Amino acid sequence: MSEAATNNGDEEIVTVNFKVTRSFLNEIEDTWQGRGFNSRSEFIRYTLRDAVEHPTFDRDELVALLQAEEDFREKRTISAEEARERFGTDDTNE
């Protein structure tokens, strides 16, 4: 487990405060509870640690990923066959 999630007694634990919109806080609440974290703080530590250790996505990619997740949840997706027909490709390598 990462140092961000546990304290081995060697480092001081500090409190960090930041502001978010109410709607974003609601999204955070739904997310940490839906993913099985024990607390909002645990989820935020995990997310921040992951962002620091694996800075592979830029903001635009994360926005696109969140939009894709929302599209999936709202059933605004199409099958691979429909996409091939819509975009005129005959690539059937799956």
Side-chain angles (χ1 to χ4, degrees):
M1 189 169 264
S2 164
E3 291 179 29
T6 61
N7 178 18
N8 60 12
D10 294 342
E11 291 197 46
E12 176 187 6
I13 298 295
V14 296
T15 300
V16 176
N17 295 308
F18 58 95
K19 295 179 182 182
V20 297
T21 63
R22 174 66 58 190
S23 61
F24 185 53
L25 180 60
N26 291 339
E27 289 182 52
I28 291 170
E29 291 293 333
D30 292 344
T31 302
W32 77 261
Q33 292 172 355
R35 293 190 184 171
F37 287 89
N38 292 320
S39 69
R40 180 172 54 203
S41 292
E42 179 185 341
F43 170 71
I44 291 170
R45 279 191 302 270
Y46 173 85
T47 303
L48 290 173
R49 181 190 71 239
D50 193 55
V52 169
E53 291 179 359
H54 308 288
T56 57
F57 291 107
D58 66 19
R59 187 178 192 291
D60 291 338
E61 291 170 318
L62 291 174
V63 168
L65 185 60
L66 288 171
Q67 182 63 53
E69 177 67 21
E70 182 178 318
D71 289 346
F72 179 77
R73 287 182 183 175
E74 298 295 324
K75 300 188 184 332
R76 295 185 302 237
T77 60
I78 61 173
S79 70
E81 183 177 331
E82 290 173 294
R84 283 191 290 275
E85 289 174 11
R86 180 183 292 180
F87 298 108
T89 179
D90 60 0
D91 184 359
T92 57
N93 294 333
E94 295 184 14

Coordinates of all heavy atoms in Angstrom, one line a residue:
M1 N 0.8 -1.2 0.0 CA 0.0 0.0 0.0 C 0.9 1.2 0.0 O 2.0 1.2 0.6 CB -0.9 0.0 1.2 CG -2.0 1.0 1.2 SD -3.2 0.8 2.5 CE -4.4 -0.1 1.5
S2 N 0.4 2.3 -0.6 CA 1.2 3.5 -0.8 C 1.3 4.3 0.5 O 0.4 4.2 1.4 CB 0.5 4.3 -1.8 OG 1.0 5.7 -1.8
E3 N 2.3 5.1 0.6 CA 2.5 6.0 1.8 C 1.3 7.0 1.8 O 1.0 7.4 2.9 CB 3.8 6.8 1.7 CG 5.0 5.9 1.9 CD 6.3 6.7 1.7 OE1 6.2 7.9 2.0 OE2 7.3 6.2 1.3
A4 N 0.7 7.3 0.7 CA -0.5 8.2 0.7 C -1.7 7.6 1.4 O -2.5 8.3 2.0 CB -0.9 8.6 -0.7
A5 N -1.7 6.3 1.5 CA -2.9 5.6 2.1 C -2.6 5.2 3.5 O -3.5 5.0 4.3 CB -3.3 4.4 1.3
T6 N -1.4 5.1 3.9 CA -1.0 4.6 5.2 C 0.1 5.5 5.8 O 0.8 6.2 5.1 CB -0.5 3.2 5.2 OG1 0.7 3.1 4.4 CG2 -1.5 2.2 4.7
N7 N 0.1 5.5 7.1 CA 1.2 6.3 7.8 C 2.0 5.3 8.6 O 1.5 4.7 9.5 CB 0.5 7.4 8.7 CG 1.6 8.1 9.4 OD1 2.8 8.1 9.1 ND2 1.2 8.8 10.5
N8 N 3.3 5.2 8.3 CA 4.1 4.2 9.0 C 4.7 4.8 10.3 O 5.6 4.2 10.9 CB 5.2 3.6 8.1 CG 6.1 4.7 7.5 OD1 6.1 5.9 8.0 ND2 6.9 4.4 6.5
G9 N 4.3 6.0 10.6 CA 4.7 6.7 11.8 C 6.0 7.6 11.6 O 6.3 8.3 12.5
D10 N 6.6 7.5 10.5 CA 7.8 8.3 10.2 C 7.5 9.7 9.7 O 8.3 10.6 9.9 CB 8.6 7.6 9.1 CG 9.2 6.3 9.6 OD1 9.2 6.1 10.8 OD2 9.6 5.5 8.8
E11 N 6.3 9.9 9.1 CA 6.0 11.2 8.6 C 4.8 11.8 9.3 O 3.9 11.1 9.7 CB 5.7 11.2 7.1 CG 7.0 10.8 6.3 CD 6.8 11.2 4.9 OE1 6.3 12.2 4.6 OE2 7.2 10.3 4.1
E12 N 4.8 13.1 9.4 CA 3.7 13.9 10.0 C 2.5 13.9 9.0 O 2.7 14.1 7.9 CB 4.1 15.3 10.4 CG 3.0 16.1 10.9 CD 3.4 17.6 11.0 OE1 4.5 18.0 10.6 OE2 2.6 18.3 11.6
I13 N 1.3 13.6 9.5 CA 0.1 13.7 8.7 C -0.4 15.2 8.8 O -0.5 15.7 9.9 CB -1.0 12.8 9.2 CG1 -0.5 11.3 9.1 CG2 -2.3 13.0 8.4 CD1 -0.3 10.8 7.7
V14 N -0.6 15.8 7.7 CA -1.1 17.2 7.7 C -2.5 17.2 7.0 O -2.8 16.3 6.2 CB -0.1 18.1 6.9 CG1 1.2 18.2 7.6 CG2 0.1 17.7 5.5
T15 N -3.2 18.2 7.3 CA -4.5 18.4 6.7 C -4.4 19.4 5.6 O -3.8 20.5 5.8 CB -5.5 18.9 7.8 OG1 -5.6 18.0 8.8 CG2 -6.9 19.2 7.2
V16 N -5.1 19.2 4.5 CA -5.1 20.0 3.3 C -6.5 20.4 3.1 O -7.4 19.5 3.0 CB -4.5 19.4 2.1 CG1 -4.6 20.2 0.9 CG2 -3.0 19.0 2.4
N17 N -6.8 21.7 2.9 CA -8.2 22.1 2.6 C -8.2 22.7 1.2 O -7.3 23.4 0.8 CB -8.6 23.2 3.6 CG -8.7 22.7 5.0 OD1 -9.4 21.7 5.2 ND2 -8.1 23.4 5.9
F18 N -9.3 22.4 0.5 CA -9.5 23.0 -0.8 C -10.9 23.1 -1.1 O -11.8 22.5 -0.5 CB -8.7 22.2 -1.9 CG -9.2 20.8 -2.0 CD1 -10.2 20.4 -2.9 CD2 -8.6 19.8 -1.3 CE1 -10.5 19.1 -3.0 CE2 -9.0 18.5 -1.3 CZ -10.0 18.1 -2.2
K19 N -11.3 24.0 -2.1 CA -12.7 24.3 -2.4 C -13.1 23.6 -3.7 O -12.3 23.6 -4.6 CB -12.9 25.8 -2.5 CG -12.7 26.5 -1.2 CD -13.0 28.0 -1.3 CE -12.7 28.7 0.0 NZ -13.0 30.1 -0.1
V20 N -14.3 23.1 -3.7 CA -14.9 22.5 -4.9 C -16.3 22.9 -5.0 O -16.9 23.3 -4.0 CB -14.8 21.0 -5.0 CG1 -13.4 20.5 -5.0 CG2 -15.6 20.3 -3.8
T21 N -16.9 22.9 -6.2 CA -18.3 23.2 -6.3 C -19.2 22.1 -5.6 O -18.7 20.9 -5.5 CB -18.8 23.3 -7.7 OG1 -18.6 22.1 -8.4 CG2 -18.0 24.4 -8.5
R22 N -20.4 22.4 -5.3 CA -21.3 21.4 -4.6 C -21.5 20.3 -5.6 O -21.5 19.1 -5.2 CB -22.6 22.1 -4.3 CG -23.7 21.2 -3.8 CD -23.4 20.5 -2.5 NE -23.1 21.5 -1.4 CZ -22.7 21.2 -0.2 NH1 -22.4 19.9 0.1 NH2 -22.5 22.1 0.7
S23 N -21.7 20.6 -6.9 CA -22.0 19.5 -7.9 C -20.8 18.6 -8.0 O -20.9 17.3 -8.1 CB -22.4 20.1 -9.2 OG -21.3 20.8 -9.8
F24 N -19.6 19.1 -7.9 CA -18.4 18.3 -8.0 C -18.3 17.4 -6.8 O -17.9 16.2 -6.8 CB -17.1 19.1 -8.2 CG -15.9 18.3 -8.4 CD1 -15.8 17.3 -9.4 CD2 -14.8 18.5 -7.7 CE1 -14.7 16.5 -9.6 CE2 -13.6 17.8 -7.9 CZ -13.6 16.8 -8.8
L25 N -18.6 18.0 -5.6 CA -18.5 17.2 -4.4 C -19.5 16.1 -4.4 O -19.2 15.0 -4.0 CB -18.8 18.1 -3.2 CG -18.8 17.4 -1.8 CD1 -17.5 16.8 -1.5 CD2 -19.2 18.4 -0.7
N26 N -20.7 16.3 -5.0 CA -21.7 15.2 -5.2 C -21.1 14.1 -6.0 O -21.3 12.9 -5.8 CB -23.0 15.8 -5.8 CG -23.7 16.7 -4.8 OD1 -23.5 16.6 -3.6 ND2 -24.6 17.5 -5.3
E27 N -20.4 14.5 -7.1 CA -19.8 13.5 -8.0 C -18.7 12.7 -7.2 O -18.6 11.5 -7.3 CB -19.1 14.1 -9.2 CG -20.1 14.7 -10.2 CD -19.4 15.3 -11.4 OE1 -18.6 14.6 -12.0 OE2 -19.7 16.4 -11.7
I28 N -17.9 13.4 -6.4 CA -16.9 12.7 -5.6 C -17.6 11.7 -4.6 O -17.1 10.6 -4.5 CB -16.1 13.7 -4.8 CG1 -15.2 14.5 -5.8 CG2 -15.2 13.1 -3.8 CD1 -14.5 15.7 -5.2
E29 N -18.7 12.2 -4.0 CA -19.4 11.3 -3.0 C -19.9 10.1 -3.7 O -19.7 9.0 -3.2 CB -20.6 12.1 -2.4 CG -20.2 13.2 -1.5 CD -19.5 12.7 -0.2 OE1 -19.8 11.6 0.3 OE2 -18.7 13.5 0.4
D30 N -20.5 10.2 -4.9 CA -21.0 9.1 -5.6 C -19.9 8.1 -6.0 O -20.0 6.9 -6.0 CB -21.8 9.5 -6.9 CG -23.1 10.2 -6.5 OD1 -23.6 10.1 -5.4 OD2 -23.6 10.9 -7.4
T31 N -18.7 8.7 -6.4 CA -17.6 7.9 -6.9 C -17.0 7.1 -5.8 O -16.8 5.9 -6.0 CB -16.6 8.8 -7.6 OG1 -17.2 9.5 -8.7 CG2 -15.5 8.0 -8.2
W32 N -16.6 7.7 -4.7 CA -15.9 7.0 -3.7 C -16.8 5.9 -3.1 O -16.3 4.8 -2.8 CB -15.3 7.9 -2.6 CG -16.1 8.4 -1.5 CD1 -16.6 9.7 -1.5 CD2 -16.6 7.8 -0.3 NE1 -17.4 9.9 -0.4 CE2 -17.3 8.8 0.4 CE3 -16.4 6.6 0.3 CZ2 -17.9 8.5 1.6 CZ3 -16.9 6.3 1.5 CH2 -17.7 7.3 2.2
Q33 N -18.0 6.2 -2.9 CA -18.9 5.2 -2.3 C -19.2 4.0 -3.3 O -19.2 2.9 -2.9 CB -20.2 5.8 -1.9 CG -20.0 6.7 -0.7 CD -21.3 7.6 -0.4 OE1 -22.3 7.5 -1.1 NE2 -21.2 8.3 0.7
G34 N -19.3 4.4 -4.6 CA -19.5 3.4 -5.6 C -18.3 2.5 -5.9 O -18.5 1.4 -6.4
R35 N -17.2 3.0 -5.6 CA -15.9 2.2 -5.8 C -15.4 1.5 -4.6 O -14.3 0.9 -4.6 CB -14.9 3.1 -6.4 CG -15.3 3.5 -7.8 CD -14.2 4.2 -8.5 NE -14.6 4.7 -9.8 CZ -13.9 5.5 -10.6 NH1 -12.7 5.9 -10.2 NH2 -14.4 6.0 -11.7
G36 N -16.1 1.5 -3.5 CA -15.8 0.7 -2.3 C -14.7 1.3 -1.4 O -14.1 0.6 -0.7
F37 N -14.4 2.6 -1.5 CA -13.5 3.2 -0.6 C -14.2 3.4 0.7 O -15.4 3.5 0.8 CB -13.0 4.6 -1.1 CG -12.1 4.5 -2.3 CD1 -12.5 4.4 -3.6 CD2 -10.7 4.4 -2.1 CE1 -11.7 4.3 -4.7 CE2 -9.8 4.3 -3.1 CZ -10.3 4.3 -4.4
N38 N -13.4 3.4 1.8 CA -13.9 3.5 3.2 C -14.3 4.9 3.5 O -15.1 5.2 4.4 CB -12.9 3.0 4.2 CG -12.7 1.5 4.1 OD1 -13.7 0.8 3.9 ND2 -11.5 1.1 4.2
S39 N -13.7 5.9 2.8 CA -14.0 7.3 3.1 C -13.7 8.2 1.9 O -12.9 7.8 1.0 CB -13.2 7.8 4.3 OG -11.8 7.9 4.0
R40 N -14.2 9.4 1.9 CA -13.9 10.4 0.9 C -12.4 10.7 0.9 O -11.8 10.8 -0.1 CB -14.7 11.6 1.1 CG -14.5 12.7 0.1 CD -15.5 13.8 0.2 NE -15.5 14.4 1.5 CZ -16.5 15.1 2.0 NH1 -17.6 15.3 1.3 NH2 -16.4 15.6 3.2
S41 N -11.9 10.8 2.1 CA -10.4 11.2 2.3 C -9.5 10.1 1.7 O -8.6 10.4 1.0 CB -10.1 11.4 3.7 OG -10.7 12.5 4.2
E42 N -9.9 8.8 1.9 CA -9.1 7.7 1.3 C -9.2 7.8 -0.2 O -8.2 7.6 -0.9 CB -9.7 6.4 1.8 CG -9.0 5.2 1.2 CD -9.6 3.9 1.6 OE1 -10.4 3.8 2.6 OE2 -9.4 2.9 0.9
F43 N -10.3 8.0 -0.7 CA -10.5 8.2 -2.2 C -9.6 9.3 -2.7 O -8.9 9.2 -3.7 CB -12.0 8.4 -2.6 CG -12.2 8.7 -4.0 CD1 -12.0 7.8 -5.0 CD2 -12.5 10.0 -4.4 CE1 -12.1 8.1 -6.3 CE2 -12.7 10.4 -5.7 CZ -12.5 9.4 -6.7
I44 N -9.7 10.5 -2.1 CA -8.9 11.6 -2.6 C -7.4 11.3 -2.5 O -6.7 11.7 -3.4 CB -9.3 12.9 -1.8 CG1 -10.8 13.3 -2.2 CG2 -8.4 14.0 -2.1 CD1 -11.4 14.4 -1.4
R45 N -7.0 10.7 -1.4 CA -5.5 10.4 -1.3 C -5.1 9.4 -2.4 O -4.1 9.6 -3.0 CB -5.2 9.8 0.1 CG -5.1 10.7 1.2 CD -4.5 10.1 2.5 NE -5.4 9.0 3.0 CZ -6.4 9.1 3.8 NH1 -6.7 10.3 4.3 NH2 -7.1 8.1 4.2
Y46 N -5.9 8.4 -2.6 CA -5.7 7.5 -3.7 C -5.6 8.1 -5.0 O -4.7 7.9 -5.8 CB -6.7 6.4 -3.7 CG -6.6 5.4 -4.8 CD1 -5.8 4.3 -4.8 CD2 -7.3 5.6 -6.0 CE1 -5.6 3.4 -5.8 CE2 -7.2 4.8 -7.1 CZ -6.4 3.7 -7.0 OH -6.2 2.8 -8.1
T47 N -6.6 9.0 -5.3 CA -6.6 9.7 -6.6 C -5.4 10.6 -6.8 O -4.8 10.6 -7.9 CB -7.9 10.5 -6.7 OG1 -9.0 9.6 -6.5 CG2 -8.0 11.2 -8.0
L48 N -5.1 11.4 -5.8 CA -3.9 12.3 -5.8 C -2.6 11.5 -6.0 O -1.8 11.8 -6.8 CB -3.8 13.2 -4.6 CG -4.9 14.2 -4.5 CD1 -4.9 15.0 -3.2 CD2 -4.8 15.2 -5.7
R49 N -2.5 10.4 -5.2 CA -1.3 9.6 -5.3 C -1.2 9.0 -6.7 O -0.1 9.0 -7.4 CB -1.3 8.4 -4.3 CG 0.0 7.6 -4.4 CD -0.1 6.3 -3.6 NE -1.1 5.4 -4.2 CZ -2.2 4.9 -3.6 NH1 -2.5 5.3 -2.4 NH2 -3.0 4.1 -4.2
D50 N -2.3 8.5 -7.3 CA -2.3 7.9 -8.6 C -1.9 9.0 -9.7 O -1.1 8.7 -10.6 CB -3.6 7.3 -8.9 CG -3.6 6.5 -10.2 OD1 -2.8 5.5 -10.2 OD2 -4.4 6.7 -11.1
A51 N -2.4 10.2 -9.5 CA -2.1 11.3 -10.4 C -0.6 11.7 -10.4 O 0.0 12.0 -11.4 CB -2.9 12.5 -10.1
V52 N 0.0 11.6 -9.2 CA 1.4 12.0 -9.1 C 2.3 10.8 -9.6 O 3.3 11.1 -10.3 CB 1.7 12.3 -7.6 CG1 3.2 12.4 -7.3 CG2 1.1 13.6 -7.1
E53 N 1.9 9.6 -9.3 CA 2.8 8.5 -9.7 C 2.6 8.1 -11.1 O 3.5 7.5 -11.7 CB 2.4 7.3 -8.8 CG 2.9 7.4 -7.3 CD 2.5 6.2 -6.5 OE1 1.9 5.3 -6.9 OE2 2.9 6.3 -5.3
H54 N 1.4 8.4 -11.7 CA 1.2 8.0 -13.1 C 0.6 9.1 -13.9 O -0.6 9.1 -14.3 CB 0.2 6.8 -13.1 CG 0.6 5.7 -12.2 ND1 1.6 4.8 -12.6 CD2 0.1 5.2 -11.0 CE1 1.8 3.9 -11.6 NE2 0.9 4.2 -10.7
P55 N 1.4 10.2 -14.1 CA 0.8 11.3 -14.8 C 0.7 11.1 -16.3 O 1.3 11.8 -17.1 CB 1.9 12.4 -14.5 CG 3.1 11.7 -14.3 CD 2.7 10.3 -13.7
T56 N 0.0 10.1 -16.7 CA -0.1 9.7 -18.1 C -1.2 10.4 -18.9 O -1.1 10.5 -20.1 CB -0.3 8.2 -18.3 OG1 -1.5 7.8 -17.6 CG2 0.9 7.4 -17.7
F57 N -2.2 10.9 -18.2 CA -3.3 11.6 -18.9 C -3.1 13.1 -18.7 O -2.8 13.6 -17.7 CB -4.6 11.2 -18.3 CG -5.0 9.8 -18.6 CD1 -5.0 8.8 -17.6 CD2 -5.5 9.4 -19.8 CE1 -5.4 7.5 -17.8 CE2 -5.8 8.1 -20.1 CZ -5.8 7.2 -19.1
D58 N -3.4 13.8 -19.8 CA -3.5 15.3 -19.6 C -5.0 15.6 -19.4 O -5.8 14.7 -19.5 CB -2.9 16.0 -20.8 CG -3.7 15.8 -22.1 OD1 -4.8 15.4 -22.1 OD2 -3.1 16.1 -23.2
R59 N -5.3 16.8 -19.1 CA -6.6 17.2 -18.8 C -7.6 16.9 -19.9 O -8.7 16.4 -19.6 CB -6.7 18.7 -18.4 CG -8.0 19.2 -17.9 CD -8.0 20.7 -17.6 NE -9.1 21.1 -16.8 CZ -10.3 21.1 -17.2 NH1 -10.6 20.8 -18.4 NH2 -11.3 21.6 -16.4
D60 N -7.3 17.1 -21.1 CA -8.2 16.9 -22.2 C -8.5 15.4 -22.3 O -9.7 15.0 -22.6 CB -7.6 17.3 -23.5 CG -7.6 18.9 -23.6 OD1 -8.3 19.5 -22.9 OD2 -6.8 19.4 -24.4
E61 N -7.5 14.5 -22.1 CA -7.8 13.1 -22.1 C -8.7 12.7 -21.0 O -9.6 11.8 -21.1 CB -6.5 12.3 -22.0 CG -5.6 12.5 -23.3 CD -4.2 11.9 -23.1 OE1 -3.6 12.1 -22.1 OE2 -3.7 11.3 -24.1
L62 N -8.5 13.2 -19.8 CA -9.4 12.9 -18.7 C -10.8 13.4 -18.9 O -11.7 12.7 -18.6 CB -8.8 13.5 -17.4 CG -7.5 12.9 -16.9 CD1 -7.0 13.7 -15.7 CD2 -7.7 11.4 -16.5
V63 N -11.0 14.6 -19.5 CA -12.3 15.1 -19.8 C -13.0 14.1 -20.8 O -14.1 13.8 -20.6 CB -12.2 16.5 -20.3 CG1 -13.6 16.9 -20.9 CG2 -11.8 17.5 -19.2
A64 N -12.2 13.7 -21.8 CA -12.8 12.8 -22.8 C -13.1 11.4 -22.2 O -14.2 10.8 -22.5 CB -11.8 12.5 -23.9
L65 N -12.3 11.0 -21.2 CA -12.6 9.7 -20.6 C -13.9 9.8 -19.7 O -14.7 8.9 -19.7 CB -11.4 9.3 -19.7 CG -11.5 8.0 -19.0 CD1 -11.6 6.8 -20.0 CD2 -10.2 7.8 -18.1
L66 N -14.0 10.9 -19.0 CA -15.2 11.2 -18.2 C -16.4 11.3 -19.1 O -17.5 10.7 -18.7 CB -15.1 12.4 -17.3 CG -14.1 12.3 -16.2 CD1 -13.9 13.7 -15.5 CD2 -14.6 11.3 -15.1
Q67 N -16.3 11.9 -20.2 CA -17.4 12.0 -21.2 C -17.8 10.7 -21.7 O -19.0 10.3 -21.8 CB -17.1 13.0 -22.3 CG -18.3 13.1 -23.3 CD -19.5 13.8 -22.7 OE1 -19.3 14.8 -22.1 NE2 -20.6 13.2 -22.8
A68 N -16.9 9.8 -22.0 CA -17.1 8.5 -22.5 C -17.8 7.7 -21.4 O -18.8 6.9 -21.7 CB -15.8 7.8 -22.9
E69 N -17.4 7.8 -20.2 CA -18.1 7.1 -19.1 C -19.5 7.6 -18.9 O -20.4 6.7 -18.7 CB -17.3 7.4 -17.8 CG -17.9 6.7 -16.5 CD -17.9 5.2 -16.5 OE1 -17.1 4.6 -17.2 OE2 -18.7 4.6 -15.7
E70 N -19.8 8.9 -19.0 CA -21.1 9.4 -18.9 C -22.0 8.9 -20.1 O -23.1 8.5 -19.9 CB -21.1 10.9 -18.9 CG -22.5 11.5 -18.8 CD -22.5 13.0 -18.8 OE1 -21.6 13.6 -18.1 OE2 -23.3 13.6 -19.4
D71 N -21.4 8.9 -21.3 CA -22.1 8.3 -22.5 C -22.5 6.9 -22.3 O -23.6 6.5 -22.6 CB -21.3 8.5 -23.7 CG -21.1 9.9 -24.2 OD1 -21.9 10.8 -23.7 OD2 -20.2 10.2 -25.0
F72 N -21.6 6.1 -21.7 CA -21.8 4.7 -21.5 C -23.0 4.5 -20.5 O -23.9 3.7 -20.7 CB -20.6 4.0 -21.0 CG -20.8 2.5 -20.7 CD1 -20.9 1.6 -21.7 CD2 -20.9 2.1 -19.4 CE1 -21.1 0.3 -21.4 CE2 -21.1 0.8 -19.1 CZ -21.2 -0.2 -20.1
R73 N -22.9 5.3 -19.4 CA -23.9 5.2 -18.3 C -25.3 5.6 -18.8 O -26.3 5.1 -18.4 CB -23.6 6.1 -17.1 CG -22.5 5.5 -16.3 CD -22.2 6.4 -15.1 NE -21.0 5.9 -14.4 CZ -20.5 6.5 -13.3 NH1 -21.0 7.6 -12.9 NH2 -19.5 5.9 -12.7
E74 N -25.3 6.6 -19.7 CA -26.6 7.1 -20.3 C -27.0 6.3 -21.5 O -28.0 6.7 -22.2 CB -26.4 8.6 -20.6 CG -26.2 9.5 -19.4 CD -27.3 9.5 -18.4 OE1 -28.5 9.5 -18.9 OE2 -27.0 9.5 -17.2
K75 N -26.3 5.3 -21.8 CA -26.6 4.4 -23.0 C -26.6 5.2 -24.3 O -27.4 5.0 -25.2 CB -27.9 3.7 -22.8 CG -27.9 2.8 -21.5 CD -29.1 1.9 -21.5 CE -29.3 1.1 -20.2 NZ -28.2 0.7 -19.5
R76 N -25.6 6.1 -24.4 CA -25.4 6.9 -25.6 C -24.2 6.3 -26.4 O -23.3 7.0 -26.8 CB -25.2 8.3 -25.3 CG -26.3 9.0 -24.7 CD -26.1 10.5 -24.5 NE -24.9 10.8 -23.7 CZ -24.9 11.5 -22.6 NH1 -26.1 12.0 -22.1 NH2 -23.8 11.7 -21.9
T77 N -24.2 5.0 -26.6 CA -23.1 4.3 -27.3 C -23.7 3.5 -28.5 O -24.9 3.3 -28.6 CB -22.3 3.4 -26.3 OG1 -23.3 2.4 -25.8 CG2 -21.7 4.1 -25.2
I78 N -22.8 3.1 -29.4 CA -23.2 2.3 -30.5 C -22.2 1.1 -30.6 O -21.1 1.1 -30.0 CB -23.2 3.1 -31.8 CG1 -21.8 3.6 -32.1 CG2 -24.2 4.2 -31.8 CD1 -21.7 4.3 -33.5
S79 N -22.7 0.1 -31.3 CA -21.8 -1.1 -31.4 C -20.7 -0.8 -32.4 O -20.7 0.1 -33.2 CB -22.7 -2.3 -31.9 OG -23.0 -2.0 -33.3
A80 N -19.7 -1.7 -32.4 CA -18.6 -1.6 -33.3 C -19.1 -1.7 -34.7 O -18.6 -0.9 -35.6 CB -17.5 -2.7 -33.0
E81 N -20.0 -2.6 -35.0 CA -20.6 -2.7 -36.4 C -21.2 -1.4 -36.8 O -21.0 -0.9 -37.9 CB -21.6 -3.9 -36.4 CG -22.1 -4.1 -37.8 CD -23.1 -5.3 -37.8 OE1 -22.9 -6.2 -37.0 OE2 -24.0 -5.3 -38.7
E82 N -22.0 -0.8 -35.9 CA -22.7 0.5 -36.2 C -21.6 1.6 -36.5 O -21.8 2.4 -37.4 CB -23.6 0.9 -35.1 CG -24.8 0.1 -34.9 CD -25.6 0.5 -33.7 OE1 -25.1 0.3 -32.6 OE2 -26.7 1.0 -33.8
A83 N -20.6 1.6 -35.7 CA -19.5 2.6 -35.9 C -18.8 2.4 -37.3 O -18.6 3.4 -38.0 CB -18.5 2.5 -34.8
R84 N -18.6 1.1 -37.7 CA -17.9 0.8 -39.0 C -18.8 1.3 -40.1 O -18.4 1.9 -41.1 CB -17.6 -0.6 -39.1 CG -16.4 -1.1 -38.3 CD -16.0 -2.5 -38.7 NE -16.9 -3.5 -38.3 CZ -16.9 -4.1 -37.0 NH1 -15.9 -3.7 -36.2 NH2 -17.7 -5.0 -36.7
E85 N -20.1 1.1 -40.0 CA -21.1 1.5 -41.0 C -21.1 3.1 -41.0 O -21.1 3.6 -42.1 CB -22.5 1.0 -40.7 CG -22.6 -0.5 -41.0 CD -23.9 -1.1 -40.6 OE1 -24.9 -0.3 -40.3 OE2 -24.1 -2.3 -40.5
R86 N -21.2 3.7 -39.9 CA -21.4 5.1 -39.8 C -20.1 5.8 -40.4 O -20.2 6.8 -41.1 CB -21.6 5.6 -38.4 CG -21.7 7.1 -38.3 CD -21.9 7.6 -36.9 NE -23.2 7.2 -36.3 CZ -23.6 7.5 -35.1 NH1 -22.8 8.2 -34.3 NH2 -24.7 7.0 -34.6
F87 N -18.9 5.3 -40.1 CA -17.7 6.0 -40.5 C -17.1 5.4 -41.8 O -16.0 5.7 -42.2 CB -16.7 6.0 -39.3 CG -17.2 6.8 -38.2 CD1 -17.6 6.1 -37.0 CD2 -17.4 8.2 -38.2 CE1 -18.1 6.8 -35.9 CE2 -17.9 8.9 -37.2 CZ -18.3 8.2 -36.0
G88 N -17.8 4.4 -42.4 CA -17.3 3.9 -43.7 C -16.1 3.1 -43.6 O -15.3 3.2 -44.5
T89 N -15.8 2.3 -42.6 CA -14.6 1.5 -42.6 C -15.0 0.0 -42.6 O -16.1 -0.4 -42.1 CB -13.8 1.8 -41.3 OG1 -12.7 0.9 -41.3 CG2 -14.6 1.5 -40.0
D90 N -14.2 -0.8 -43.3 CA -14.5 -2.2 -43.3 C -13.6 -3.0 -42.5 O -13.5 -4.2 -42.6 CB -14.5 -2.7 -44.8 CG -13.2 -2.5 -45.4 OD1 -12.2 -2.0 -44.8 OD2 -13.0 -2.9 -46.6
D91 N -12.8 -2.3 -41.6 CA -11.9 -3.0 -40.7 C -12.6 -3.8 -39.7 O -13.3 -3.3 -38.8 CB -11.0 -1.9 -40.0 CG -9.9 -2.6 -39.1 OD1 -9.8 -3.8 -39.1 OD2 -9.1 -1.8 -38.5
T92 N -12.5 -5.1 -39.8 CA -13.2 -6.0 -38.9 C -12.2 -6.7 -37.9 O -12.6 -7.7 -37.3 CB -14.0 -7.1 -39.7 OG1 -13.1 -7.8 -40.5 CG2 -15.1 -6.4 -40.5
N93 N -11.0 -6.2 -37.8 CA -10.1 -6.7 -36.8 C -10.5 -6.4 -35.4 O -10.5 -5.2 -35.0 CB -8.6 -6.2 -37.0 CG -8.1 -6.7 -38.3 OD1 -8.5 -7.7 -38.8 ND2 -7.2 -5.9 -38.9
E94 N -10.9 -7.3 -34.6 CA -11.4 -7.0 -33.3 C -10.5 -7.7 -32.2 O -10.0 -8.6 -32.3 CB -12.8 -7.5 -33.1 CG -13.8 -6.7 -34.0 CD -15.2 -7.0 -33.8 OE1 -15.6 -7.7 -32.8 OE2 -16.0 -6.6 -34.6

